[in-house]
Amino acid sequence: MPDLDLILDRARLDALRHGAVVVETRPAVFRVTGSGALTCLQGLLTSDLLAPGDGALLYGAMLTPKGAIVTDAWVFTRGDAVTLVVPCEGRAAALEIFGRTLPPRLARAEDLTGEVQVAWLLGDRGFQVLAKSGIGAPESAGRTHEVGMGDGSVTVALAPETAPFAACLVGPASALEPLVARLVAAGARPGDDRDHQAARILAGWPALGAEIDERTLPQEVRYDELGGVSYTKGCYTGQETVARLHFRGHTNRELRGLWWRSDEPESSNGGSRSVLSGEREVGSVRSRLAVDGRAIGLAVLRREVDPGAEVIAGGRRATVVALPFRGDELDA
């Protein structure tokens, strides 16, 4: 589960915002192969896997029939093989969906968790560091590039503009480690999961187990802004609810940012994760990042609580802000 409350020092924050940080993780990884792999996954994921063509990086989710997010995923397409990077919290659910829905003659899912790792390149200088490393990169954002061949190949992908990372590398540890070393030699600072989580909070990006729970609908957590849902592709599980909200209605709650000032005292409900507007509970704090006494966070709030509103969040007065964060909320 993501760390819901993070404290960073100023140097780490500056590296994330103005430098480059590389973080190695071991999420759940699946490779779906077969002549029908793309077509079958097109019917399971909210994003359009076919429109971008081969060699694409996409973000999306698998849903329940009622439209709630089961797990999100980063999706890499390459020929008849599709690689999905899924949060560890979503591994069991993804396995169950693949086992229940993929016809064996058309598509087979292989669980590569523990064998394949991911290195995330974070920070404003991530692309420059990747270029300086000489590893090689795709021609544009949202595209992938293969380094090496066979079982030792690593996929290098440039992130879409909204993503909380600049690039990512996916491959077996034996092939990934030398490339990570080249990124460090080119100027990237080695980081850990705290950097990874801080980057997603700064980008206003939801995480499974934090902003996303078993009742969350894609539009409640900014999937429209993140490019995580298509309204022009064919049918997929949960599409009816997603489309109805988009074309005929609206969500009752939305993901928003919170900004706490360093001089705000705690109120009588200090330690709570609830968000109060007056005496009415309007949502909950899901993730929080603090630096030098200042803090920002992500909260799921009633949609009528607009940016600019003053609330009591987690026991302290806070201002509701639009996402993503501007970047100066944590400055002294």
Side-chain angles (χ1 to χ4, degrees):
M1 179 175 291
D3 191 342
L4 302 183
D5 293 295
L6 294 166
I7 299 176
L8 291 189
D9 59 42
R10 179 64 57 179
R12 291 183 80 141
L13 175 67
D14 289 344
L16 279 175
R17 294 198 303 180
H18 308 303
V21 179
V22 61
V23 176
E24 296 180 72
T25 66
R26 295 187 176 188
V29 180
F30 300 95
R31 182 167 297 142
V32 181
T33 57
S35 60
L38 271 173
T39 303
C40 291
L41 291 174
Q42 182 81 336
L44 291 177
L45 288 154
T46 55
S47 47
D48 191 339
L49 276 61
L50 300 178
D54 197 26
L57 170 66
L58 302 156
Y59 178 74
M62 290 185 278
L63 309 179
T64 68
K66 293 186 177 181
I69 297 172
V70 176
T71 185
D72 58 334
W74 284 100
V75 184
F76 305 74
T77 64
R78 176 68 63 178
D80 288 338
V82 181
T83 300
L84 296 94
V85 174
V86 172
C88 288
E89 295 83 0
R91 180 187 180 191
L95 276 171
E96 190 277 328
I97 290 173
F98 293 148
R100 175 167 46 85
T101 63
L102 296 182
R105 288 182 297 176
L106 298 177
R108 299 170 301 279
E110 182 182 4
D111 187 357
L112 300 178
T113 304
E115 301 174 33
V116 172
Q117 300 180 21
V118 181
W120 309 91
L121 189 55
L122 317 172
D124 289 347
R125 293 195 66 253
F127 178 76
Q128 290 91 327
V129 166
L130 179 61
K132 184 179 178 182
S133 73
I135 290 172
E139 70 278 7
S140 61
R143 308 301 300 174
T144 67
H145 169 75
E146 295 295 313
V147 176
M149 298 182 65
D151 293 338
S153 67
V154 172
T155 300
V156 180
L158 289 184
E161 184 178 351
T162 57
F165 57 93
C168 63
L169 293 77
V170 181
S174 58
L176 196 61
E177 289 298 336
L179 301 186
V180 170
R182 290 172 66 173
L183 292 172
V184 172
R189 179 182 67 79
D192 57 30
D193 190 60
R194 289 177 296 167
D195 300 286
H196 194 204
Q197 294 299 328
R200 76 160 186 88
I201 293 172
L202 289 165
W205 202 278
L208 191 68
E211 292 72 35
I212 301 172
D213 59 30
E214 69 277 1
R215 299 181 297 112
T216 303
L217 304 175
Q219 293 101 325
E220 292 179 326
V221 284
R222 305 184 65 236
Y223 266 51
D224 285 346
E225 294 88 343
L226 304 181
V229 60
S230 170
Y231 297 106
T232 58
K233 62 178 279 187
C235 294
Y236 58 88
T237 302
Q239 182 195 31
E240 183 178 352
T241 299
V242 172
R244 185 168 61 247
L245 276 174
H246 179 72
F247 292 109
R248 299 182 184 177
H250 58 75
T251 60
N252 292 324
R253 56 182 192 161
E254 295 182 1
L255 185 62
R256 304 249 195 240
L258 294 173
W259 174 41
W260 291 269
R261 297 172 183 83
S262 58
D263 57 350
E264 291 295 342
E266 285 197 1
S267 70
S268 58
N269 71 332
S272 168
R273 302 198 80 86
S274 64
V275 179
L276 305 177
S277 177
E279 301 200 359
R280 181 189 178 202
E281 186 169 342
V282 293
S284 60
V285 181
R286 301 300 181 90
S287 298
R288 188 171 179 269
L289 169 63
V291 178
D292 295 340
R294 289 174 175 255
I296 58 174
L298 301 178
V300 178
L301 304 177
R302 296 286 304 178
R303 69 185 301 270
E304 61 266 23
V305 183
D306 293 322
E310 296 289 327
V311 295
I312 299 296
R316 295 171 61 197
R317 189 169 67 177
T319 302
V320 178
V321 299
L323 294 171
F325 291 100
R326 297 190 310 268
D328 60 355
E329 290 89 351
L330 293 172
D331 291 340

